[in-house]
Amino acid sequence: MGAVPDVIEAAAAGLVAGCSFLSLAARNAVASLDRIIERDRSATPAPSRAVLVLNDEAIGRETMTHLLAPLGVPIILAATVAEARTALNSDRPPCAIVADYYLGAGETCAALLRTRRPCTRAVIVTGAVDTARIADIARGCGADLRDVPLTTEAQLALCDLVRSYLPESA
């Protein structure tokens, strides 16, 4: 027989058995969605407690490494958006990003921040003069913004901000 009579027969069998065909179909659909969600959840790596520092200047990466050292978490260094994207797509992606806005070769961190996982928090640390425009971009990316040069008090506040990004355990 064709597919339509088979469906009608299955519906009749379901009604006879005391359950509606639609509720059976809904349960099957929910079970399928549950399997898809679980598969996707297991395919998405859990973030580590590492912090990604993205800065095109070596002195900027080194300074931020020293500033974040008291957090006691691994620091991943990236000089380009491509290097940062590799870290974010790894088996144990960082849970936080501290990024300079303007990078070499005309790159900015904006596209990277717009495409990061929602659980990966970010702060842009920049010394650029167009901070009002960058503040709008940071808001659009869901990132925090801090200006440099950082005073000692501002450095401690940045450390506290990044600490607040860290998961309890990973």
Side-chain angles (χ1 to χ4, degrees):
M1 291 215 142
V4 173
D6 292 341
V7 169
I8 293 170
E9 187 176 321
L15 289 172
V16 170
C19 66
S20 74
F21 178 69
L22 289 177
S23 68
L24 179 64
R27 281 195 301 269
N28 288 340
V30 168
S32 293
L33 285 174
D34 285 343
R35 284 191 300 276
I36 291 168
I37 291 168
E38 187 57 37
R39 183 195 67 215
D40 288 350
R41 187 177 292 136
S42 63
T44 302
S48 66
R49 286 181 53 87
V51 175
L52 171 65
V53 172
L54 172 59
N55 194 311
D56 61 317
E57 298 175 9
I59 189 69
R61 292 188 302 274
E62 183 179 332
T63 300
M64 201 55 63
T65 299
H66 289 296
L67 179 64
L68 299 174
L71 297 177
V73 297
I75 306 293
I76 302 167
L77 302 176
T80 65
V81 169
E83 290 175 6
R85 201 171 300 285
T86 298
L88 289 171
N89 292 328
S90 71
D91 290 341
R92 295 289 288 165
C95 65
I97 304 169
V98 178
D100 184 16
Y101 184 75
Y102 287 111
L103 306 166
E107 285 186 309
T108 69
C109 67
L112 176 78
L113 296 183
R114 284 188 188 102
T115 59
R116 74 188 188 279
R117 291 180 177 94
C119 62
T120 305
R121 304 283 307 276
V123 59
I124 299 171
V125 180
T126 186
V129 293
D130 54 346
T131 54
R133 187 177 74 78
I134 295 173
D136 288 340
I137 292 167
R139 274 190 296 281
C141 296
D144 293 303
L145 176 67
R146 297 296 181 270
D147 293 326
V148 291
L150 296 172
T151 63
T152 302
E153 186 175 281
Q155 289 175 4
L156 293 172
L158 176 63
C159 239
D160 286 342
L161 176 67
V162 174
R163 182 179 287 111
S164 75
Y165 295 168
L166 301 176
E168 292 300 317
S169 62

